[in-house]
């Protein structure tokens, strides 16, 4: 592949919308045939009185029932496989904190295609075989580890499986190995930067960093900008989920104008989570994905529970693959407090506007005197506890801005930097200690 090309897979990346739709129909039909080899889908189709031949157009997709996380749980571990187990070479599983864990199986071809997707993304943001890629995300069952590992290797980069944690060692790797690109969850990037500062390392001067891939957890535009300013590099949003393989499903191009979801690999639908009817472009709804290129465990109309909206279909970068807004969170991240629906990301957006505040925050919900309350603890960038007037004013200002955004007044607590817990995986932003009324 010519390093000067903007596209790793020009024949797919630059397809016209019409050609994308033709390819999608062809791949949908073969995916449906593949699904008939899975006991689960075979039964689903029979129950719905549907035959593979009934899918003659992309609109016919809507005849197919949705697949949910519960279906994955009910068929745990192998009930959704569309190939015999001996053809599978990898299994990933979610944590399963609520009920059965879920299992996703991969054939060698699935893994190859997954690596191609990730390589495409990294190429899209300017990475080439001369780059050095440090993957500072968890390995093991978390798909951000192996997913980026194989994708970066597929592109041809020197790839360092640093995994998350041990920040001093991470930074030593970066400086010693000449790391030019890092992948990590956004909350961990902030942590890395803090440790750099403490050890007198200036990322602009002492490292060769130029690109960050951040994802796996919701983060606001404000958070991204902060990260870019801290490290002096571009930070690109990366979307993935184990059910769809892992990272590689959606990624921002250099325009940073939304996530390109790869329509040669997925069919994207945005539906109203209540009625399950499609919502018009631009309106927020639940993301529903159908895999188009998977062998071991194709999924039809999978309800991701992630909320987003369509931003557009074409892009100055020359790719016509659908662009989606950054995720607001999953419908299950939504807090309902005194009847108001609130997403943690709304709170983050406001906090990040205050330069006095650092990036780590924690939302705690409690019931006091039969009233639901929210406390937002946030770390101060610099400690100025001797100036009470200033602290008090800052707390009030934050409270007022939060109220404008979420329509109720939370308690705001400013705490010293480093006092809130940091996670090496996905950040825990909300603790719900409310009484549950039956
Ligand atoms: P788990 O289900 O155990 O959290 P996954 O890695 O499969 O493990 O998580 C996928 C989910 O992570 C997505 O459904 C989405 O909610 C979230 N996610 C992944 N990437 C992003 C991103 N770039 N922005 C916001 N949320 C993301
Ligand atoms: Zn683009």
């Amino acid at each position: 592949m010519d390093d000067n090309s903007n596209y790793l897979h020009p024949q797919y990346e630059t397809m016209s919308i019409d050609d994308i739709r033709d390819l999608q129909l062809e791949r949908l039909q073969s995916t449906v045939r593949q699904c008939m080899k899975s006991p689960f889908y075979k039964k689903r189709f029979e129950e719905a009185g549907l035959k593979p031949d009934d899918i003659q157009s992309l609109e016919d997709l809507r005849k197919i029932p949705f697949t949910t996380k519960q279906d994955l749980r009910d068929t745990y571990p192998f009930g959704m496989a569309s190939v015999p187990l001996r053809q599978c070479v990898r299994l990933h599983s979610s944590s399963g904190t609520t009920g059965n864990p879920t299992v996703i199986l991969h054939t060698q071809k699935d893994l190859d295609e997954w690596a191609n997707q990730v390589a495409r993304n990294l190429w899209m943001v300017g990475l080439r075989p001369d780059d050095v890629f440090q993957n500072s995300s968890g390995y093991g069952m978390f798909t951000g580890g192996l997913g980026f590992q194989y994708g970066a290797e597929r592109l041809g980069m020197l790839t360092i499986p640093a995994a998350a944690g041990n920040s001093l060692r991470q930074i030593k790797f970066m400086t010693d190995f000449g790391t030019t690109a890092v992948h990590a969850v956004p909350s961990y990037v902030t942590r890395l930067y803090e440790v750099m500062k403490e050890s007198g390392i200036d990322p602009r001067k002492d490292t060769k960093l130029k690109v960050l891939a951040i994802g796996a957890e919701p983060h606001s535009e404000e958070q991204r900008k902060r990260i870019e300013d801290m490290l002096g590099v571009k930070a690109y949003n990366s979307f993935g989920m184990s059910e769809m393989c892992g990272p590689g499903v959606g990624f921002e191009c250099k325009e940073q104008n939304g996530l390109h979801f790869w329509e040669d690999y997925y069919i994207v639908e945005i539906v109203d989570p209540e009625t399950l009817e499609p919502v018009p472009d631009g309106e927020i709804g639940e993301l529903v994905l159908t895999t188009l290129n998977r062998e071991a465990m194709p999924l039809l109309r999978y309800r991701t529970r992630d909320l987003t909206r369509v931003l557009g279909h074409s892009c100055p970068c020359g790719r016509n693959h659908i662009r989606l807004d950054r995720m607001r969170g999953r419908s299950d991240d939504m807090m309902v407090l005194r009847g108001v629906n609130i997403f943690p990301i709304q709170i983050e957006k406001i906090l990040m506007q205050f330069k006095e505040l650092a990036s780590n925050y924690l939302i705690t919900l409690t019931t006091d005197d039969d009233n639901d309350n929210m406390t937002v603890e946030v770390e101060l960038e610099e400690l100025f506890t001797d100036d009470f007037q200033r602290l008090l004013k800052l707390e009030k200002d934050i409270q007022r801005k939060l109220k404008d955004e979420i329509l109720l007044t939370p308690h705001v607590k400013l705490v010293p930097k480093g006092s809130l817990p940091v996670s090496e995986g996905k950040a825990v932003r909300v603790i719900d200690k409310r009484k549950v009324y039956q």
Side-chain angles (χ1 to χ4, degrees):
M1 175 49 70
D2 168 12
D3 277 10
N4 292 321
S5 167
N6 284 329
Y7 313 103
L8 184 61
H9 309 132
Q11 71 277 31
Y12 292 110
E13 287 174 72
T14 62
M15 277 180 141
S16 70
I17 294 179
D18 283 347
D19 287 348
I20 293 178
R21 298 292 168 255
D22 289 347
L23 179 72
Q24 284 186 316
L25 178 59
E26 197 183 295
R27 290 191 170 176
L28 173 64
Q29 288 172 326
S30 70
T31 296
V32 166
R33 282 195 298 275
Q34 181 70 3
C35 283
M36 290 308 108
K37 300 177 195 159
S38 118
F40 168 81
Y41 276 118
K42 198 164 177 298
K43 186 155 165 262
R44 261 289 148 92
F45 268 57
E46 277 164 16
E47 281 166 3
L50 208 58
K51 292 194 187 62
D53 283 348
D54 294 337
I55 309 302
Q56 290 301 329
S57 69
L58 284 178
E59 286 66 50
D60 289 338
L61 177 67
R62 291 183 54 197
K63 295 179 181 163
I64 302 176
F66 292 94
T67 306
T68 62
K69 194 157 193 127
Q70 192 57 43
D71 293 326
L72 286 173
R73 292 200 169 113
D74 293 345
T75 55
Y76 176 86
F78 304 137
M80 277 215 192
S82 290
V83 297
L85 218 50
R86 59 168 288 128
Q87 279 178 35
C88 298
V89 297
R90 171 100 63 83
L91 177 157
H92 279 278
S93 169
S94 78
S95 48
T97 32
T98 48
N100 256 348
T102 56
V103 156
I104 301 294
L105 294 163
H106 300 269
T107 62
Q108 186 56 54
K109 178 172 174 289
D110 291 333
L111 294 183
D112 276 347
E113 288 293 354
W114 180 12
N116 285 338
Q117 286 174 250
V118 175
R120 179 191 287 183
N121 294 340
L122 297 176
W123 186 282
M124 174 166 75
V125 295
L127 296 176
R128 297 293 179 268
D130 291 331
D131 281 293
V132 178
F133 188 88
Q134 184 164 329
N135 191 14
S136 307
S137 88
Y139 275 68
M141 285 297 188
F142 177 55
T143 51
L146 291 176
F148 268 97
Q149 180 72 32
Y150 283 90
E153 288 176 4
R154 173 65 48 89
L155 194 153
M157 288 186 279
L158 173 61
T159 307
I160 307 162
N166 201 341
S167 305
L168 281 174
R169 196 179 61 145
Q170 297 275 355
I171 295 162
K172 185 168 166 51
F173 286 170
M174 273 181 215
T175 50
D176 291 358
F177 304 150
T179 300
T180 59
V182 166
H183 164 245
V185 293
S187 47
Y188 188 58
V189 176
T190 342
R191 172 79 195 133
L192 272 178
Y193 175 69
E194 290 306 327
V195 180
M196 278 187 189
K197 263 202 330 201
E198 284 161 18
S199 14
I201 303 268
D202 176 350
R204 286 179 167 78
K205 287 203 208 112
D206 305 324
T207 75
K208 293 188 179 155
L209 272 184
K210 60 178 194 196
V211 164
L212 289 179
I214 53 172
E217 66 186 14
H219 55 286
S220 56
E221 188 60 39
E222 287 75 8
Q223 173 87 296
R224 180 243 291 278
K225 290 214 179 84
R226 261 186 184 223
I227 288 175
E228 293 190 331
D229 289 345
M230 283 172 184
L231 293 162
V233 298
K234 287 278 173 205
Y236 296 100
N237 189 1
S238 161
F239 176 88
M241 64 189 326
S242 322
E243 297 92 318
M244 293 295 127
C245 66
V249 180
F251 210 88
E252 279 177 329
C253 68
K254 287 185 175 172
E255 304 288 331
Q256 294 186 308
N257 57 357
L259 295 148
H260 279 291
F261 269 60
W262 298 121
E263 293 186 280
D264 49 334
Y265 285 96
Y266 305 98
I267 295 178
V268 174
E269 296 173 87
I270 309 285
V271 303
D272 181 318
E274 302 292 323
T275 63
L276 300 180
E277 290 298 317
V279 301
D281 281 5
E283 265 180 41
I284 302 249
E286 180 178 341
L287 173 67
V288 172
L289 294 171
T290 296
T291 65
L292 291 178
N293 220 356
R294 285 254 299 272
E295 234 175 23
M297 255 183 86
L299 294 176
L300 301 172
R301 305 193 84 199
Y302 183 69
R303 290 188 58 182
T304 67
R305 302 199 225 168
D306 284 312
L307 300 172
T308 183
R309 62 190 175 129
V310 175
L311 293 180
H313 293 270
S314 58
C315 178
C317 74
R319 296 172 182 87
N320 298 313
H321 294 256
I322 195 166
R323 278 184 297 113
L324 301 185
D325 204 356
R326 57 179 61 250
M327 304 292 141
R328 292 199 134 199
R330 295 192 202 184
S331 45
D332 23 353
D333 292 337
M334 190 174 80
M335 304 173 268
V336 185
L337 202 77
R338 302 188 204 162
V340 185
N341 300 345
I342 306 163
F343 284 93
I345 208 77
Q346 292 175 273
I347 293 179
E348 177 180 301
K349 191 176 83 182
I350 301 297
L351 297 178
M352 294 301 124
Q353 290 168 8
F354 288 87
K355 62 177 186 337
E356 297 91 337
L357 301 180
S359 303
N360 205 5
Y361 65 97
L362 183 67
I363 302 163
T364 308
L365 307 177
T366 49
T367 314
D368 315 298
D369 303 329
D370 285 344
N371 262 327
D372 283 352
N373 284 308
M374 176 188 287
T375 304
V376 178
E377 286 173 278
V378 55
E379 292 184 0
L380 280 168
E381 188 54 51
E382 274 167 48
L383 216 51
F384 48 90
T385 36
D386 47 340
D387 192 343
F388 275 116
Q389 287 310 321
R390 195 172 154 210
L391 268 181
L392 224 57
K393 179 170 182 312
L394 181 59
E395 270 182 7
K396 284 266 168 290
D397 288 350
I398 298 169
Q399 210 171 34
R400 207 172 21 241
K401 281 228 167 175
L402 283 174
K403 178 164 190 227
D404 290 345
E405 173 72 28
I406 62 176
L407 308 176
L408 41 88
T409 311
H411 302 296
V412 173
K413 250 167 112 176
L414 302 175
V415 301
K417 201 166 189 173
S419 56
L420 294 176
V422 247
S423 116
E424 281 165 7
K426 302 186 187 217
V428 177
R429 299 297 194 192
V430 183
I431 297 182
D432 194 342
K433 295 182 178 166
R434 286 178 295 182
K435 285 183 199 148
V436 182
Y437 297 101
Q438 301 298 336

